[in-house]
Amino acid sequence: MEKTTKPAHIGRKISRIRELRGIKQEHLAMELGISQQSVSRMESTEIIEEELLEKIAKILGVPVEGIKNFSEEAVFNVISNTYNNNSNDSSTLIASSINYYPTFNPLDKLMEVVEENKILYERLLKSEQEKAELLKQSLKG
């Protein structure tokens, strides 16, 4: 009897990568030009169109193949081989290729995040002001 393999659940993989990258559904939605609810539905979908998958991969900063081949086990293996690795097996080769000292200034990264949040807040505020203006106009007319 031939064993059939269940297709990879791409939506779930996108969700996990997004979470690991610290990206919220709202941010992904904004970048894609869709609602947060649409992102939520997409993340519960097994199959995603290639064109959309390419856009998502770009936003998440990973290759499309990285999403398709994503595995929780692989992530944990990299982590366990990178930290507290005192063994002399071949996994030390992986650990030695990891840069333990970042080549970026953490404060610069923090300021980037603050600036991104400021931009998001300003967009949200503008959107809410537009909604309020439309509501005023509809109440008058």
Side-chain angles (χ1 to χ4, degrees):
M1 187 155 95
E2 215 176 287
K3 185 177 181 181
T4 58
T5 57
K6 187 176 178 189
H9 197 293
I10 299 297
R12 210 173 291 133
K13 290 180 178 193
I14 290 170
S15 174
R16 287 300 293 140
I17 293 169
R18 178 185 55 73
E19 290 168 356
L20 290 168
R21 304 275 293 156
I23 298 172
K24 297 204 175 289
Q25 279 186 342
E26 291 84 0
H27 178 76
L28 184 56
M30 185 192 71
E31 291 292 324
L32 291 171
I34 61 177
S35 69
Q36 178 271 324
Q37 292 82 359
S38 295
V39 170
S40 181
R41 281 191 301 275
M42 176 190 66
E43 289 181 350
S44 65
T45 304
E46 283 191 30
I47 300 169
I48 296 184
E49 295 174 10
E50 196 68 25
E51 187 178 321
L52 179 58
L53 191 57
E54 288 173 12
K55 290 177 184 176
I56 294 166
K58 186 174 181 181
I59 294 166
L60 296 177
V62 297
V64 171
E65 290 305 312
I67 294 174
K68 290 178 178 178
N69 298 325
F70 176 78
S71 142
E72 296 268 346
E73 289 178 18
V75 171
F76 293 121
N77 284 338
V78 168
I79 291 170
S80 67
N81 287 333
T82 303
Y83 300 100
N84 301 321
N85 186 344
N86 297 321
S87 66
N88 290 325
D89 64 1
S90 62
S91 64
T92 57
L93 179 62
I94 295 169
S96 66
S97 68
I98 305 292
N99 181 4
Y100 290 101
Y101 303 100
T103 57
F104 61 88
N105 182 340
L107 289 177
D108 289 343
K109 287 290 182 190
L110 177 63
M111 293 310 296
E112 284 177 28
V113 170
V114 167
E115 187 61 31
E116 287 174 11
N117 285 340
K118 180 180 171 190
I119 291 167
L120 289 173
Y121 174 76
E122 288 170 353
R123 286 182 186 171
L124 179 62
L125 182 61
K126 183 179 177 186
S127 172
E128 291 301 316
Q129 288 170 340
E130 289 170 357
K131 285 181 194 175
E133 187 59 38
L134 287 172
L135 185 58
K136 285 180 189 175
Q137 289 174 2
S138 68
L139 290 174
K140 288 180 183 178

